[in-house]
Amino acid sequence: MPLDYPIATATLTNGLRVVVSEDHSVPSISISLWVDVGSRHEVAGRTGLAHLFEHLMFQGSELVEEGEHMALLMSQGGRANATTSFDRTAYVESVPTGALDLALWLEADRHGHLLPALTQANLDNQRDVVVEEKRQRYDTVPYGQALAHMCRLVFPPGHPYHHTTIGSMDDLAAATLEDVHDFFTAHYGPATSILTLVGDVTAQEGFDLAERYFGHLVDRTTARPQAKAALMPLPAPVGLDLMEDVPSERLYLCFRLPPVTDPQFLHCALALDALASLTVSRLNLRLVRHEETVTGLSASALGLVDGSVGLLVLDIAEGADLDDVERAVHEELRTFAESGPTEQELEASRADTERSWLEALANFDERAELLSRAAGLFGDAGQVNHYLDEVVGATAAQVTTAAARWLQPQAAATVRYRQEASA
């Protein structure tokens, strides 16, 4: 039986798409402003700007002083956050019903009128913040560069996902105030944005408020880049061995996957669950519980516009041989590609996907994010209601076919973290 979350949509004359999911269970509203800009939209020599704007958007705008955005929301019992990914930047706020007008006014001011407050001083300050963030989260922590290494192995130079969202610090240092202003004008505007409201508001109220606060904004954004032709699986395995001071040896296997809108992406995600994400997953049963050569493992599928990523991560037990573990993983990948998931594995994958999806939709913030994502990536906010039908409808044969094409050892980009002491 399909889900039936209420979803209403409208598009303002300036291009802003508006999604409202009415839910009066609690007197609060979550706001998602999804902007179609991420590291995918950056050009060579100017990487890191999409993520930089996640910071700059909290530094004041034409009518809002630096620090006031968060302070005003918090004074009304609200909260806010933002994230940047390869394909988008998302701004999420949660406020009591009575603070909705304030939150939308604040959002409209910074999304439409940021540039008067975007000074050289603000740019320099937030550039320093990003440099420190990179140092703390990527450069000085164990395995911190793993994703960057995998992106370079999986995607060729010039591909939108060859670099990560944090970008190059040299590029950031070279960016001028004019570069940053131009980036904002090109990417931030009504036509590139989706405003989603979830909670204690009717559809008509939501549309009227969107028109009141955002309807005056003039769009000056440039055309969005066309989706790239989907990459095929890697034609041959590639790898990188790193000798570092890490808590344990670790193995990353990364695979190209089809774009998130391709049905085979879901089939790959279910295959990865059956292989590694669940207590009944075959790699967990073999390597963690039986052979005890791995202390922990995970699998994930990151769905993206220009080709997705599948990932297996395994922490090697003390005394175990990383190369032996890698061979065992390859054996299981080949077996899975030949025989596919058992009925128990497939049902467990479906059930886990359903549980996590329902949990996310029950949370206003996450529902707002998923509705914006559905509208942005699939062109249909209603995708959140029929996604589980696709999950339930996925067959063992489809999962097997996807795994045989995309999740083979010869198509893996492998990053091996080896401990310096064991060299």
Side-chain angles (χ1 to χ4, degrees):
M1 181 178 177
L3 297 174
D4 60 352
Y5 282 100
I7 300 169
T9 62
T11 302
L12 305 189
T13 56
N14 61 11
L16 179 70
R17 286 171 285 174
V18 185
V19 182
V20 182
S21 180
E22 185 176 347
D23 189 331
H24 302 287
S25 56
V26 292
S28 69
I29 298 163
S30 288
I31 304 160
S32 166
L33 228 164
W34 170 292
V35 184
D36 186 8
V37 59
S39 55
R40 170 180 181 257
H41 301 81
E42 296 166 348
V43 298
R46 287 295 177 266
T47 63
L49 292 182
H51 173 251
L52 176 65
F53 267 97
E54 177 194 325
H55 293 262
L56 290 171
M57 291 289 278
F58 288 93
Q59 297 306 300
S61 49
E62 185 173 34
L63 301 175
V64 180
E65 294 295 326
E66 181 179 350
E68 270 197 333
H69 190 106
M70 289 293 292
L72 287 169
L73 285 178
M74 293 174 66
S75 71
Q76 299 297 312
R79 50 186 167 78
N81 199 5
T83 59
T84 309
S85 185
F86 292 95
D87 292 333
R88 94 302 181 263
T89 306
Y91 301 87
V92 179
E93 299 180 347
S94 178
V95 295
T97 305
L100 178 59
D101 282 81
L102 170 65
L104 292 178
W105 179 83
L106 289 168
E107 285 293 356
D109 198 61
R110 67 176 177 174
H111 280 270
H113 310 284
L114 181 79
L115 294 185
L118 185 38
T119 63
Q120 187 67 50
N122 270 346
L123 171 59
D124 292 341
N125 175 269
Q126 292 309 302
R127 187 158 38 196
D128 290 344
V129 171
V130 172
V131 170
E132 182 62 18
E133 177 185 347
K134 182 176 185 294
R135 189 188 70 80
Q136 291 189 9
R137 294 181 55 189
Y138 299 90
D139 297 342
T140 61
V141 296
Y143 325 110
Q145 292 293 332
L147 179 60
H149 291 313
M150 286 182 286
C151 285
R152 288 190 286 268
L153 292 174
V154 170
F155 298 106
H159 192 278
Y161 304 141
H162 185 70
H163 71 278
T164 58
T165 56
I166 195 68
S168 160
M169 297 304 99
D170 289 340
D171 288 353
L172 276 185
T176 67
L177 185 61
E178 182 181 8
D179 292 331
V180 176
H181 277 233
D182 289 346
F183 189 90
F184 179 82
T185 303
H187 298 294
Y188 276 80
T192 61
S193 302
I194 300 167
L195 172 67
T196 299
L197 307 177
V198 173
D200 190 22
V201 61
T202 68
Q204 191 58 55
E205 288 170 343
F207 298 151
D208 290 345
L209 288 168
E211 179 64 41
R212 180 186 306 169
Y213 294 109
F214 291 85
H216 72 283
L217 301 184
V218 177
D219 190 81
R220 298 184 177 88
T221 58
T222 57
R224 299 296 85 190
Q226 293 294 315
K228 302 283 185 183
L231 294 173
M232 294 299 101
L234 283 167
V238 293
L240 177 66
D241 285 84
L242 302 167
M243 291 287 186
E244 295 191 9
D245 182 15
V246 290
S248 66
E249 296 196 326
R250 181 177 284 186
L251 183 64
Y252 291 85
L253 284 84
C254 192
F255 305 88
R256 289 178 183 169
L257 299 183
V260 65
T261 52
D262 187 317
Q264 280 209 330
F265 171 76
L266 170 60
H267 304 151
C268 288
L270 292 171
L272 287 165
D273 277 345
L275 281 162
S277 290
L278 313 169
T279 55
V280 297
S281 297
R282 58 185 62 188
L283 287 175
N284 185 64
L285 292 175
R286 175 176 174 177
L287 300 178
V288 177
R289 299 179 63 179
H290 178 61
E291 297 180 5
E292 298 183 346
T293 55
V294 169
T295 58
L297 77 164
S298 64
S300 57
L302 177 61
L304 300 170
V305 170
D306 286 326
S308 304
V309 175
L311 185 63
L312 293 171
V313 185
L314 302 96
D315 284 312
I316 312 303
E318 186 175 357
D321 185 270
L322 182 149
D323 297 316
D324 288 343
V325 171
E326 185 175 353
R327 281 189 286 270
V329 173
H330 288 182
E331 288 175 10
E332 295 300 335
L333 289 173
R334 293 190 189 98
T335 301
F336 193 95
E338 293 170 1
S339 60
T342 66
E343 185 55 40
Q344 181 190 28
E345 288 171 337
L346 183 56
E347 187 54 39
S349 298
R350 291 193 191 113
D352 188 66
T353 302
E354 179 180 17
R355 175 195 56 76
S356 60
W357 191 253
L358 294 176
E359 284 182 355
L361 289 176
N363 179 284
F364 282 9
D365 283 2
E366 293 186 62
R367 193 192 313 171
E369 169 77 4
L370 289 174
L371 285 166
S372 291
R373 173 182 179 272
L377 299 185
F378 296 91
D380 175 20
Q383 184 261 355
V384 301
N385 277 336
H386 58 72
Y387 172 67
L388 290 183
D389 298 332
E390 299 169 14
V391 173
V392 173
T395 67
Q398 290 172 325
V399 174
T400 305
T401 298
R405 183 179 186 189
W406 298 98
L407 300 174
Q408 290 279 16
Q410 63 267 23
T414 306
V415 178
R416 307 172 188 90
Y417 277 90
R418 302 181 187 271
Q419 287 180 315
E420 293 174 338
S422 65

